[in-house]
């Protein structure tokens, strides 16, 4: 089903992704990106931006940061940005509320439809933000249903969790709703990244910059 | 409705709400061999049926009817907590506006027998998926709670924990097989809506 792949239709996680065995992922794969503070967000952004380089579409569900800031995070000023569509769940937006999952789903449908491309990367930035409005069982089911959608459509999905804010039992439970996890941690030399959950990818830390 | 003995109760129940008698009879004829079929000529009549406590698995609602429309009947039924899956039968191709109405599936007229059966099958499959997902999720939460409270040795020796793991594996396989319906726009929203509804039905869980 999902996992590392060398097929032509694989999604490339980008040149900066340090785990060679996991850099190319089969369509339909979902990844949870975990790390402290903004590290997971940075890794997810790099994975999504690699989609632009591959002429794919990108849809981001944004929770904590408003859509305008998110767009600025992901795009280059003055360059074309119609490859990116946002579903804005931030408090001050008029988008769907994060606890109205049917409405979030409709927003996602419309965003995907608007991109009009068969290759799409979706990002939930962040799942931490959704957990302010959902309990862990609701968040789990949400991720599971989204995974099904991604699997069916042959997309690539990422979602981020800030491990400073979410207890480890919840992280470990939510991991089960994804095909694999990209973990980020910091040691005295800098940031490290590893991939967990794919049989053909060794679970070892790699320097990540 | 061919049988009225005890075994008939095991067949899933489909409620057909359609003002055109000929269509009502046709759908009933097509479905009667596999389903308990109930019919209503209009929304109010359908509401009376469910208020009498008749359990219904799937409701087919015609979009345009005298009296309550399909959409109004749907929202009345949802307000009354009818836990069925709803398909709208419509003469116009569903777009985002229709999906907004909250049906779980859409059937465009003219309806033929194969498409009617396929739609009911996929609604039943959506239901099976969300039931399996509910159980899977609550057992996973239980597992995580146990892992924080007990040592690895204690868990390894616990029969209850082993049973939990077995059931989780079974449900994982079920979820793998069940079609959530999330592959299409309406089915995706329907699967998410059943999470929202589950939240309203039950007390918030400890997490």
């Amino acid at each position: 089903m999902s996992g590392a792949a060398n097929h032509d239709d694989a999604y490339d996680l980008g040149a900066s992704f340090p785990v060679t065995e996991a850099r190319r992922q089969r369509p339909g794969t979902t990844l949870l990106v975990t790390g402290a503070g903004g590290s997971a967000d940075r890794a997810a952004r790099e994975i999504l931006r690699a989609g632009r380089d591959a002429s794919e579409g990108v849809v981001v569900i944004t929770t904590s940061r408003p859509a305008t800031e998110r767009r600025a995070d992901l795009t280059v000023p003055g360059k074309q940005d119609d490859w990116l569509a946002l579903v804005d769940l931030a408090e001050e937006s008029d988008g769907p509320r994060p606890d109205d999952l049917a409405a979030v789903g409709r927003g996602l449908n419309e965003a995907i439809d608007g991109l009009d491309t068969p290759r799409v990367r979706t990002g939930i930035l962040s799942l931490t933000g959704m957990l302010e409005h959902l309990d862990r069982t609701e968040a789990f089911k949400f991720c599971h249903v989204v995974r099904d959608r991604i699997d069916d459509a042959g997309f690539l999905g990422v979602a981020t969790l800030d491990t400073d804010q979410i207890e480890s039992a919840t992280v470990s439970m939510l991991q089960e709703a994804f095909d694999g996890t990209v973990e980020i941690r910091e040691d005295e030399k800098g940031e490290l990244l590893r991939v967990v959950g794919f049989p053909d990818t060794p679970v070892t830390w790699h320097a990540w910059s | 409705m061919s049988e009225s003995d005890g075994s008939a109760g095991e067949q899933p129940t489909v409620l057909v709400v359609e003002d055109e008698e000929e269509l009502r009879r046709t759908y009933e004829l097509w479905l009667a061999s596999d389903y308990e079929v109930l019919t209503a000529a209009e929304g109010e009549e359908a509401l009376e049926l469910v208020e009498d406590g008749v359990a219904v698995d799937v409701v087919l609602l015609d979009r345009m009817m005298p009296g309550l429309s399909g959409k109004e009947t749907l929202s009345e039924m949802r307000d009354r907590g009818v836990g069925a899956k709803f398909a709208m039968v419509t003469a116009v191709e569903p777009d985002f506006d229709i999906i907004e109405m909250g049906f779980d599936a859409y059937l465009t007229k003219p309806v033929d027998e194969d498409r009617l059966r396929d739609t009911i099958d996929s609604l039943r499959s959506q239901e099976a998926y969300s039931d399996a997902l509910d159980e899977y999720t609550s057992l996973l939460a239980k597992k995580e709670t146990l892992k924080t409270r007990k040592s690895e040795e204690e868990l390894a020796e616990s029969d209850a924990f082993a049973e939990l793991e077995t059931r989780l594996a079974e449900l994982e396989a079920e979820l793998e097989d069940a079609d959530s319906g999330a592959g299409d726009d309406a089915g995706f929203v329907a699967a998410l809506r059943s999470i929202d509804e589950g939240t309203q039905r039950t007390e918030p869980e400890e997490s």
Side-chain angles (χ1 to χ4, degrees):
Chain A
M1 268 216 5
S2 322
N6 290 308
H7 305 288
D8 291 340
D9 61 357
Y11 285 88
D12 187 343
L13 302 190
S16 65
F17 197 79
V19 187
T20 320
E21 297 90 341
R23 194 180 141 180
R24 294 171 63 74
Q25 291 290 333
R26 246 175 224 138
T29 304
T30 55
L31 299 167
L32 179 65
V33 187
T34 64
S39 62
D41 194 78
R42 177 161 82 88
R45 285 198 316 264
E46 288 186 9
I47 292 171
L48 294 172
R49 276 202 219 98
R52 173 204 56 197
D53 300 338
S55 306
E56 296 157 0
V58 173
V59 177
V60 170
I61 296 179
T62 175
T63 58
S64 19
R65 285 165 71 75
T68 43
E69 285 179 30
R70 266 294 165 210
R71 185 167 285 280
D73 281 352
L74 288 158
T75 57
V76 181
K79 289 249 176 96
Q80 201 179 10
D81 67 355
D82 58 357
W83 51 274
L84 174 67
L86 291 138
V87 181
D88 190 357
L89 310 187
E91 209 134 304
E92 55 280 8
S93 81
D94 22 313
R97 302 287 86 228
D99 57 355
D100 183 354
L101 295 177
V104 174
R106 284 195 294 269
L108 204 55
N109 282 341
E110 284 175 51
I112 292 167
D113 196 60
L115 289 173
D116 198 24
T117 165
R119 290 178 63 80
V120 174
R121 299 184 189 211
T122 65
I124 302 172
L125 308 179
S126 63
L127 201 48
T128 319
M130 296 206 73
L131 282 162
E132 288 171 22
H133 306 271
L134 302 173
D135 68 28
R136 65 180 182 175
T137 63
E138 291 155 358
F140 178 86
K141 291 179 200 174
F142 174 67
C143 293
H144 205 280
V145 171
V146 170
R147 168 160 80 171
D148 241 53
R149 168 96 182 164
I150 288 168
D151 183 43
D152 203 86
F155 297 161
L156 175 77
V158 296
T160 58
L161 268 185
D162 178 353
T163 47
D164 275 346
Q165 293 185 50
I166 307 296
E167 59 177 279
S168 62
T170 300
V171 177
S172 141
M173 176 172 167
L174 289 170
Q175 267 185 293
E176 301 287 327
F178 293 82
D179 296 311
T181 307
V182 175
E183 295 178 355
I184 292 142
R185 73 173 175 90
E186 202 174 358
D187 73 0
E188 57 287 353
K189 287 192 210 118
E191 281 184 307
L192 300 170
L193 182 153
R194 72 176 182 181
V195 175
V196 181
F198 297 113
D200 41 10
T201 302
V203 183
T204 44
W205 291 104
H206 297 255
W208 179 58
S209 52
Chain B
M1 282 168 279
S2 48
E3 284 176 52
S4 55
D5 58 59
S7 67
E10 287 168 26
Q11 287 185 326
T13 302
V14 177
L15 170 58
V16 177
V17 191
E18 166 64 65
D19 58 313
E20 281 183 54
E21 187 179 359
E22 203 185 316
L23 283 179
R24 221 159 52 226
R25 296 293 157 234
T26 307
Y27 298 161
E28 188 174 9
L29 193 72
W30 286 342
L31 299 173
S33 56
D34 298 307
Y35 301 95
E36 180 83 12
V37 184
L38 304 172
T39 59
E42 50 182 45
E44 288 82 353
E45 194 185 333
L47 288 175
E48 279 168 32
L49 274 173
V50 298
E51 272 179 358
D52 290 344
V54 179
V56 179
D57 298 290
V58 172
V59 184
L60 296 181
L61 279 168
D62 187 37
R63 186 180 181 204
M64 305 280 276
M65 292 183 289
L68 292 179
S69 69
K71 183 190 172 185
E72 288 161 345
T73 311
L74 168 77
S75 65
E76 290 288 331
M77 287 204 175
R78 285 213 201 279
D79 285 351
R80 288 164 167 74
V82 176
K85 288 282 178 185
F86 295 89
M88 171 189 263
V89 184
T90 163
V92 289
E93 200 63 41
D95 57 11
F96 284 126
D97 287 346
I98 287 193
I99 288 175
E100 200 95 16
M101 290 182 190
F103 284 86
D104 302 307
Y106 301 86
L107 262 168
T108 315
K109 286 181 172 177
V111 174
D112 63 43
E113 183 174 351
D114 285 345
R115 280 203 304 128
L116 180 61
R117 284 178 170 274
D118 285 351
T119 302
I120 294 173
D121 285 349
S122 92
L123 289 173
R124 303 266 304 141
S125 175
Q126 282 181 20
E127 186 88 70
Y129 170 86
S130 63
D131 288 350
L133 184 58
D134 284 349
E135 188 186 349
Y136 183 65
T137 308
S138 74
L139 291 183
L140 262 187
K142 196 169 161 187
K143 179 179 159 182
E144 290 305 333
T145 307
L146 285 172
K147 275 164 63 182
T148 56
R149 289 187 190 153
K150 309 256 182 204
S151 70
E152 268 182 47
E153 293 76 34
E154 283 174 303
L155 291 177
E157 282 167 18
S158 157
D159 288 342
F161 193 74
E163 270 172 43
L164 185 66
E165 298 263 45
T166 310
R167 184 64 189 141
L168 278 168
E170 283 169 13
L171 287 164
E172 212 168 313
E174 263 179 53
L175 286 168
E176 193 83 14
D177 288 343
D179 182 5
S180 68
D184 71 62
D185 284 356
F188 178 53
V189 173
L192 294 173
R193 189 184 310 108
S194 62
I195 304 173
D196 293 332
E197 282 166 2
T199 313
Q200 287 159 18
R201 271 202 303 272
T202 54
E203 290 296 304
E205 274 184 66
E206 294 254 346
S207 60

